[in-house]
Amino acid sequence: MRVVVAEDSVLLREGIGRLLEEEGHTVLAGVGDADALLAAVESDPPDVAVVDVRMPPTHTDDGLQAALRLRVERPAMGVLVLSQYVEQRYAVDLLAGSATGVGYVLKDRVGHVGEFLDALDRVATGGTAVDPEVVRQLLARSSRRDPLERLSERERDVLAAMAQGYTNPAIADRLFVSQSAVEKHVNAIFDKLDLGHTPVYSRRVLAVLRYLGGGGAAA
């Protein structure tokens, strides 16, 4: 896998780069600001860009804005965003529109090497990876809303796994149930959230966005 790492902390940037190299990936560039990220991708497009949300020059959301721009300009390229804290708006911005090849994980997740590499692989292969803590907090915030209260406990478990980007077979393994049971729960979630079939949007993502206040484009 060919990767560009954009992180203004030299220590973390070098650490991620070294980890990826040790796992057999190729780090094309390690950069410390949003402009350098865009230039590096333009010069030699990677399979995935790992991007810190907050980077120079403003140290606010420059990295996120660069990631959103790359999502539009290079939809075939994966983008995995790293954040120090759970920011609801950032997750919504990233997942709105196409939900392929995108991830949002907390920086602490990098220390869980297996989970970090799994998230990277899923994003690189066109999947979605959302940090479990992000999902937990977002769903906790949304628990006051009526639609979520309609879901059973098991359906909430399935929805949380869906939001993390797991496929139905992977969810079945994690919850120790059959794939057919997962499919049944997924369909129940769609029904309870009034998410009909649509050729434009992923109902799996809409099921999460509905609770985040950013899913206005539902079917």
Side-chain angles (χ1 to χ4, degrees), residues 2-162:
R2 292 156 49 88
V3 185
V4 166
V5 180
E7 164 61 58
D8 61 326
S9 166
V10 176
L11 186 61
L12 183 56
R13 184 173 70 235
E14 293 297 325
I16 293 174
R18 185 168 301 179
L19 168 65
L20 294 177
E21 295 280 7
E22 289 177 352
E23 291 296 323
H25 303 305
T26 300
V27 178
L28 301 175
V31 299
D33 62 69
D35 291 339
L37 164 63
L38 296 174
V41 170
E42 180 65 26
S43 174
D44 191 1
D47 299 312
V48 179
V50 178
V51 184
D52 182 17
V53 166
R54 299 178 187 274
M55 287 196 297
T58 69
H59 293 282
T60 56
D61 64 351
D62 298 81
L64 176 71
Q65 295 304 320
L68 294 174
R69 176 174 167 180
L70 291 174
R71 295 270 293 148
V72 173
E73 296 180 349
R74 300 181 181 275
M77 187 185 79
V79 175
L80 180 62
V81 169
L82 302 179
S83 179
Q84 189 70 43
Y85 308 104
V86 175
E87 295 281 357
Q88 178 178 345
R89 179 176 65 83
Y90 295 164
V92 172
D93 288 348
L94 278 168
L95 292 172
S98 173
T100 59
V102 64
Y104 179 88
V105 299
L106 299 181
K107 286 186 176 180
D108 288 347
R109 196 63 54 188
V110 177
H112 301 270
V113 175
E115 296 181 22
F116 173 67
L117 294 175
D118 175 64
L120 192 67
D121 285 340
R122 279 188 278 152
V123 169
T125 55
T128 305
V130 181
D131 194 284
E133 179 59 20
V134 175
V135 174
R136 187 190 70 76
Q137 292 195 27
L138 293 176
L139 292 180
R141 290 193 186 109
S142 63
S143 63
R144 296 185 297 275
R145 302 181 181 183
D146 288 339
L148 187 59
E149 294 175 354
R150 298 169 61 187
L151 302 184
S152 68
E153 182 176 352
R154 178 57 82 187
E155 288 164 353
R156 289 179 183 234
D157 293 339
V158 172
L159 178 57
M162 287 166 53

